[in-house]
Amino acid sequence: MNIHEYQAKELLAKFGVAVPRGHVAYTPAEAAAAARQLGGAVWVVKAQIHAGGRGKAGGVKLVRAEAEAAEAARGMLGKKLVTHQTGPAGREVKRVYVEEGCDIGRELYLGVLIDRDTGRITLIASTEGGVEIEEVAEKSPEKILKVAIDPATGIQPYHARDIAFGLGLEGALVGTAVKFVTALYRAFSELDASVAEINPLVVTGAGELVALDAKLGFDDNALFRHPDIEALRDEDEEDPTELEAGRHGLNYIKLDGNIGCMVNGAGLAMATMDIIKLHGGSPANFLDVGGGATRERVSTAFKLILSDPNVEGILVNIFGGIMRCDVIAEGVVAAAREVNLHVPLVVRLEGTNVDLGKKILQRSGLPILTAENLGDAAQKVVQAVKEAG
């Protein structure tokens, strides 16, 4: 789960991470009032969407008067902001963040994530702040510093000093950086975050470190421990189909292809998508119905797949362990009848009650193609889509 920049800064500030003062606004009048409340002579109005690249897309404006703050907000609110992360459809801006101006001396990068290779929380830093870290990794990998934290000891002062020295900080700024990095690490670990990113981390003209921007993402599986964070969820920023899937206990991610997939088990789902690609097709989604799905959940999964207008064929691939093949078959038949199936459907079943499941499909009277193995299933669905097109 992701949250907005202003929410991330509010959480980080509680752990001692230095952030600029600011206020969220939902109307131009609220934006002007926020500037007035903050005081000063310079403010920044930022569109709040769950995507990077806002500045390049016109979603970040520097203003020098309350009226300008209102005008900047008016130009963003209710509009679609298109960045390299939103795709061509963009995201509608429903709130802005008005923040006090900052005297920027240097822009750095600081992040915390879990390195899947080592299984450890890892600090990532770079002198190239204000730039996408992926771009830095591609063009100047030598400018990226990584420090892995041993879970037995947690973060130690020398970890933070390594980061400070790697960023070229000197004098009193080293001590400031140690406090900043330690606070960010604590926020990451105690909030069960999956990513914490400060880009840019700014060295001000007065010699302070400030998180000029902040991104926090959280492990969905740990949200039950943080109801206050779960309450920050903005469903307007999430794919409606993925939201609906979550309500029914389904793991669904929309992709760009045209062959819908319904599988039980994440590993099998990945293998299914791979073999579809191998045979010249393109998966339209990742969908894991889980090991103990009911007939109703299977039916819901089927409808979710068909709600995607790009889907031109469906492959159901189920290995029945805990999940019974007859339950899957009943759910598929019920859903196909209810939605008036209009695309080719290939079903491959194996495992518990497989023979009963196949009989249910055969007796349904529906144009369902069955397959004996995964390779056969992928070939059949790809060919059926080509013939239907």
Side-chain angles (χ1 to χ4, degrees), residues 362-385:
Q362 291 168 358
R363 294 171 180 171
S364 69
L366 296 170
I368 299 174
L369 300 173
T370 58
E372 294 303 317
N373 55 60
L374 186 48
D376 181 38
Q379 285 180 323
K380 283 182 176 178
V381 73
V382 171
Q383 185 61 35
V385 167

Side-chain angles (χ1 to χ4, degrees), residues 12-259:
L12 292 175
K14 294 177 181 178
F15 287 85
V17 175
V19 300
R21 295 181 304 124
H23 300 290
V24 66
Y26 296 87
T27 67
E30 288 181 0
R36 187 182 314 117
Q37 186 175 349
L38 289 170
V42 179
W43 307 274
V44 182
V45 180
K46 301 180 178 182
Q48 296 296 286
I49 60 171
H50 291 177
R54 293 170 298 163
K56 295 178 181 178
V60 178
K61 298 289 186 182
L62 186 69
V63 298
R64 290 180 168 81
E66 294 174 16
E68 289 182 15
E71 187 60 30
R74 188 174 293 108
M76 298 177 193
L77 292 168
K79 307 294 193 305
K80 290 286 183 71
L81 194 65
V82 179
T83 79
H84 67 283
Q85 290 188 5
T86 66
R91 294 273 179 83
E92 183 181 349
V93 179
K94 297 190 174 181
R95 63 191 86 180
V96 297
Y97 189 46
V98 182
E99 194 171 64
E100 63 183 351
C102 181
D103 178 14
I104 301 174
R106 291 178 60 197
E107 293 188 356
L108 309 170
Y109 174 92
L110 178 63
V112 187
L113 51 72
I114 297 175
D115 187 329
R116 299 300 174 183
D117 291 333
T118 64
R120 293 184 174 187
I121 296 177
T122 301
L123 306 172
I124 299 178
S126 175
T127 55
E128 304 299 301
V131 179
E132 293 293 327
I133 195 64
E134 295 83 3
E135 184 179 331
V136 179
E138 180 180 352
K139 296 181 179 179
S140 308
E142 73 282 358
K143 294 183 178 180
I144 295 181
L145 173 65
K146 296 182 180 180
V147 177
I149 309 299
D150 189 326
T153 63
I155 193 167
Q156 298 296 313
Y158 73 87
H159 291 129
R161 285 196 295 271
D162 285 347
I163 293 293
F165 295 144
L167 292 175
L169 302 178
E170 300 175 344
L173 269 176
V174 174
T176 302
V178 169
K179 293 178 182 178
F180 191 103
V181 173
T182 303
L184 185 63
Y185 174 89
R186 282 188 52 237
F188 179 91
S189 57
E190 292 182 26
L191 295 175
D192 289 311
S194 56
V195 63
E197 188 176 52
I198 308 298
N199 190 22
L201 167 63
V202 166
V203 180
T204 69
E208 299 173 340
L209 283 177
V210 177
L212 201 60
D213 196 1
K215 174 183 177 181
L216 278 179
F218 302 92
D219 183 347
D220 289 355
N221 294 314
L223 286 177
F224 72 95
R225 300 198 294 200
H226 305 280
D228 55 330
I229 293 176
E230 189 166 18
L232 300 178
R233 173 174 245 131
D234 183 356
E235 294 188 350
D236 290 336
E237 290 290 321
E238 300 182 31
D239 183 278
T241 308
E242 292 180 14
L243 276 174
E244 183 64 20
R247 295 188 184 103
H248 294 276
L250 302 168
N251 296 309
Y252 174 95
I253 300 173
K254 188 180 183 308
L255 302 174
D256 297 328
N258 62 346
I259 296 177

Side-chain angles (χ1 to χ4, degrees), residues 307-345:
S307 69
D308 182 351
N310 295 324
V311 169
E312 299 175 358
I314 300 175
L315 172 56
V316 176
N317 181 28
I318 298 295
F319 180 81
I322 299 173
M323 167 70 75
R324 289 164 30 207
C325 292
D326 57 315
V327 172
I328 289 290
E330 290 174 352
V332 168
V333 169
R337 285 176 173 157
E338 188 172 342
V339 301
N340 189 22
L341 182 66
H342 58 281
V343 299
L345 170 62

Side-chain angles (χ1 to χ4, degrees), residues 234-307:
D234 183 356
E235 294 188 350
D236 290 336
E237 290 290 321
E238 300 182 31
D239 183 278
T241 308
E242 292 180 14
L243 276 174
E244 183 64 20
R247 295 188 184 103
H248 294 276
L250 302 168
N251 296 309
Y252 174 95
I253 300 173
K254 188 180 183 308
L255 302 174
D256 297 328
N258 62 346
I259 296 177
C261 307
M262 183 169 71
V263 191
N264 66 325
L268 187 58
M270 296 294 288
T272 301
M273 293 190 294
D274 284 346
I275 203 165
I276 287 173
K277 291 287 288 185
L278 180 65
H279 288 283
S282 182
N285 63 272
F286 168 99
L287 198 160
D288 173 15
V289 296
T294 62
R295 168 179 166 172
E296 290 72 22
R297 186 185 293 180
V298 171
S299 181
T300 298
F302 203 84
K303 294 173 189 175
L304 286 172
I305 292 173
L306 286 173
S307 69

